[in-house]
Amino acid sequence: MRISWNWLTRYIHTDLTPQQAAAILTSTGLECESVTVHEPIKGMLRGVVVGHVLECRRHPDADRLSVTMVDLGGGEPVQIVCGAPNVAKGQKVLVATVGADLCMNDGTCIVIKKSKIRGQESQGMICAEDELGLGHDHDGILVLDPDAVVGTPAAVQLGLVSDHVLEIGLTPNRTDAMGHVGVARDLIAAINHREGASLVLDLPDVSAFAQDDDARALRVEVQDAQACPRYAGVVLKSVKVGPSPAWLQDRLKVIGLKPINNVVDVTNFVQHELGQPLHAFDADRLEGGQVIVRKAAAGERFITLDGKERVLDAADLVIADAHRPVCLAGVFGGAESGVGDATTAVFLESAYFDASTIRRTARRHGLSTDASFRFERGVDPEMTVYALKRAALLLKEVAGASIGSVITDVDNTVKQRAEVKLDFARLERSTGLHIPHDQVVRILELLDFRVLDRTPQGLHVQVPAYRVDVHRQADVEEEVLRIHGYDHIPLPTHLHQPPVQQRSLSLESLRWQTAQHLAANGFREVMTPSLVNGERMMANAHAPSSLIALANPLSAELDVLRPSLLAGVLQAMAYNINRQQRDLCFFERGRRYRAMGGENEEREMLSLAMTGRRMREGWRSSDQRSELPDLKEELERLLDRYGLLHLTMWVPQEHPELEHAHAIVVKGRTVGHLGAVKRSVLKAYDVAQPVVFAEWEEDALLEACQAQRDGYHEVPRYPSVRRDLSLMLDQGVRFEDLRKAAQQAERKLLKEVGLFDVYQGDKLPAGKKSYALNFILQDAERTLTDDQVDKAMSRIRQALEKEFAAVLRA
């Protein structure tokens, strides 16, 4: 949000610089991301002064040029050659002196130099309007009033004033600071508390508001008091729509708004002054003399100010006249009731709408306006009438309006403000410092909190209406601490570290350790949306009954909650591949959503995906592509880290989006799956290279880890022995089954089983393959003898031959 310093100091009288004020605001939680200088004209016409043309004669060698002598108020007159047809003796003009830097409307800048034009010396330039960046007129030089003082800087003569813009990174809860008055309120509270000052908030006076004459009154009816707890309006007549005065246009330009006309500009000004959105209707275009606040009829059509016809939903709140909607309440005005050049009567609206109603309507229609931004977060219900009076008085000033009716105020708001109890002891524990109780009271009173009761133990306070985000003690503690100053919390001279106690493994700590492990092994974390395209999910064989559809999707492309993390990962891969990043290893932590047995199920998931080269390209690395065994190896590393690898099985299964899919089974429980993404799925996401993918439930992994007991084993004293077997097997035999059979055959000495070579070719009978296995044997109590090793290997070989008809090759 942009805050004008000149505008802000209208409400707070201080000698602070903009930079000092920005530092104070940042310390109160209103973070000033930048402080920039705003100049109405770039360079502020430095080097341009008022001059007096003393002489003017025709150039001896050019019919269209004049040679002038100009008094600049600083010594001898200077000679300037001028090409303007209207230059004449006795004029007061603006002169760009030698060295001046002029920036024009088209963005080009020129430096004025001493020169000769057709043999005549010229020491400056008498300027036209466009050459000064003041407009587009180039028919002649700009002639000033005769009473202009020679030598006066152009910026002073023209009343140009520079400003500073404070860019505030406003958090969503701070709706009270969505206007200049709200920011001034915080700044005053901080200065008064920290420096012992007695600044006061200088609010605009609206006591002059009064009805000027009787106009035709408009009858206001609020049919939905829940969606619109308060609605106020007033009729203004004799309105002359036209350009706003310079001061109003300047205020809006500084904060990045484009002036439109005096009526619209006043509503924008008050909105950015007080944080209260307003809307102006052409009163003559409101049919039936009625203003009705109601819900739209389903399918009702309405043309907004941008010229688009919108089909309304029954949940949309509209402002209507006797026959039709004229405004999408709190979001966008209508084309058929807007203020135009011919408008002479205005109905001015100020309201307090339900935040959730406005938010849903804005999202439903894809609209985001300054008004909806404020209403969505909650505005001050007690500011409604004050803002209306402020705008009406401004329209009297800038548009010649007269107030033609009393204010109609339909008020159904809850009059009881929120109340919170503050415990001093808890405040001290939460903040880590002792703030004297009188100071706590002073801070809260500076923030317009009303102390209803005070005891030695704490306070009972009433929250101001504009602080819609304060509901509990923690909120009040934050208010006290931010005005006291986060940077005023003292640092202790000694840090006392209590003994560290190992806490039980939590989901958060497990996720952190998993992320650290994967990042260390070359994976990059991605975060993708939870919303996916339902039609695409069904095309990928997800049953419609398992998908959770949104009742009110923002887009037809994002209408269901993701049943798997695969869709988002593939989109991220497609994005990177299209930008020449083809070697990718991604992981994501997030939720997947499924409808199961009539109930919606959410699961915390971890997904891994690999595509492209397995190793980074280099002269020593191979061009091997990531395959399913590579992904399985990464999962095994992770499972081994948590001591679960020996409890894990990989069971073949069918999967709608994966081929060669395997279920990941830990301690007999299926926790996830892995496989190669099917080509049809890759094509749907525009991924043109193979991808392998795995995902599992983090909750299930956590439970398995928590069930494990940490143990200690002494480093073996005695050496291990390795033996290899090369076996010819049927094509359908899996390594996992061989490993399990070997471990059952030799439970005591066999420690590890590995697969280090696979052969399939014409040298083997049809339907056969060759596996080369290694077996690690070890005894923790003695060195193994050859006889022990041979007997163990014999038992293993016999088990493999019996169960799998394995044939020993070597």
Side-chain angles (χ1 to χ4, degrees), residues 213-286:
D213 50 35
D214 290 326
R216 54 185 180 84
L218 295 178
R219 186 168 65 87
V220 176
E221 178 184 354
V222 177
Q223 295 182 358
D224 193 328
Q226 182 176 355
C228 179
R230 190 170 190 179
Y231 190 89
V234 66
V235 175
L236 302 169
K237 56 184 297 188
S238 303
V239 177
K240 298 179 181 64
V241 178
S244 297
W247 70 266
L248 181 53
Q249 293 194 38
D250 291 344
R251 286 280 193 256
L252 298 179
K253 288 177 182 177
V254 169
I255 60 172
L257 296 183
K258 180 182 178 182
I260 298 173
N261 60 52
N262 47 9
V263 176
V264 175
D265 291 349
V266 163
T267 62
N268 285 333
F269 176 85
V270 173
Q271 177 175 255
H272 287 271
E273 178 184 52
L274 303 176
Q276 171 65 47
L278 303 173
H279 188 69
F281 300 89
D282 187 328
D284 293 330
R285 301 172 75 178
L286 298 177

Side-chain angles (χ1 to χ4, degrees), residues 606-636:
L606 169 71
S607 70
L608 284 76
M610 301 171 67
T611 188
R613 293 185 184 89
R614 181 68 187 91
M615 304 292 291
R616 180 180 297 179
E617 186 177 14
W619 67 275
R620 296 183 61 196
S621 61
S622 66
D623 197 38
Q624 180 183 355
R625 303 287 159 162
S626 296
E627 298 176 343
L628 195 56
D630 298 314
L631 181 60
K632 181 172 177 284
E633 184 179 342
E634 294 293 344
L635 293 174
E636 287 176 338

Side-chain angles (χ1 to χ4, degrees), residues 379-391:
V379 298
D380 180 3
E382 297 182 2
M383 182 60 70
T384 307
V385 171
Y386 176 86
L388 199 61
K389 291 180 178 179
R390 170 68 167 154

Side-chain angles (χ1 to χ4, degrees), residues 264-537:
V264 175
D265 291 349
V266 163
T267 62
N268 285 333
F269 176 85
V270 173
Q271 177 175 255
H272 287 271
E273 178 184 52
L274 303 176
Q276 171 65 47
L278 303 173
H279 188 69
F281 300 89
D282 187 328
D284 293 330
R285 301 172 75 178
L286 298 177
E287 298 179 6
Q290 288 182 284
V291 175
I292 305 171
V293 185
R294 61 171 174 85
K295 288 291 178 67
E300 195 168 13
R301 296 181 179 275
F302 169 63
I303 300 175
T304 47
L305 280 169
D306 56 4
K308 294 182 180 179
E309 183 179 67
R310 303 182 187 274
V311 180
L312 302 181
D313 187 271
D316 292 333
L317 186 70
V318 299
I319 312 300
D321 60 19
H323 303 110
R324 58 186 177 159
V326 293
C327 179
L328 203 53
V331 181
F332 211 13
E336 298 179 355
S337 63
V339 172
D341 293 341
T343 298
T344 58
V346 168
F347 176 73
L348 195 60
E349 163 198 283
S350 180
Y352 172 62
F353 296 117
D354 173 62
S356 59
T357 300
I358 302 305
R359 186 183 307 112
R360 293 191 189 101
T361 295
R363 298 296 179 272
R364 187 179 298 115
H365 295 283
L367 293 169
S368 180
T369 61
D370 280 348
S372 67
F373 178 80
R374 287 162 172 79
F375 281 128
E376 286 175 24
R377 289 157 177 80
V379 298
D380 180 3
E382 297 182 2
M383 182 60 70
T384 307
V385 171
Y386 176 86
L388 199 61
K389 291 180 178 179
R390 170 68 167 154
L393 291 174
L394 284 172
L395 286 173
K396 289 185 68 174
E397 176 186 342
V398 304
S402 61
I403 299 173
S405 73
V406 295
I407 290 178
T408 301
D409 182 17
V410 182
D411 187 2
N412 294 300
T413 56
V414 177
K415 300 302 184 291
Q416 181 64 39
R417 294 183 182 179
E419 297 178 6
V420 179
K421 291 185 177 180
L422 177 69
D423 181 84
F424 289 138
R426 179 178 163 183
L427 172 64
E428 189 165 337
R429 287 196 306 272
S430 301
T431 60
L433 74 162
H434 174 71
I435 304 175
H437 298 172
D438 288 343
Q439 287 192 27
V440 173
V441 172
R442 170 68 171 154
I443 289 172
L444 292 175
E445 289 177 342
L446 288 171
L447 292 173
D448 294 338
F449 286 76
R450 181 184 172 194
V451 178
L452 301 177
D453 186 34
R454 176 178 178 177
T455 67
Q457 289 73 39
L459 302 173
H460 182 194
V461 298
Q462 186 180 70
V463 181
Y466 58 81
R467 291 310 305 269
V468 296
D469 59 319
V470 177
H471 306 285
R472 52 186 181 155
Q473 162 141 343
D475 300 329
V476 180
E477 291 172 358
E478 180 183 0
E479 293 302 295
V480 172
L481 188 56
R482 69 183 187 84
I483 298 301
H484 182 75
Y486 294 115
D487 50 355
H488 290 170
I489 298 175
L491 290 175
T493 56
H494 296 86
L495 291 176
H496 301 282
Q497 179 66 39
V500 177
Q501 295 183 352
Q502 182 65 39
R503 296 182 179 178
S504 60
L505 188 66
S506 65
L507 180 60
E508 189 60 34
S509 61
L510 177 69
R511 299 181 85 176
W512 185 85
Q513 292 179 48
T514 301
Q516 293 294 312
H517 173 90
L518 293 172
N521 283 275
F523 282 77
R524 293 179 180 272
E525 184 173 10
V526 297
M527 289 179 283
T528 63
S530 298
L531 298 176
V532 293
N533 181 262
E535 186 176 339
R536 183 178 289 174
M537 291 297 101

Side-chain angles (χ1 to χ4, degrees), residues 556-582:
E557 291 295 315
L558 301 171
D559 57 343
V560 301
L561 292 167
R562 60 186 177 192
S564 165
L565 304 189
L566 177 60
V569 170
L570 289 179
Q571 288 175 337
M573 285 190 159
Y575 182 88
N576 281 271
I577 291 170
N578 291 338
R579 288 156 180 79
Q580 309 303 315
Q581 302 297 317
R582 301 183 180 278

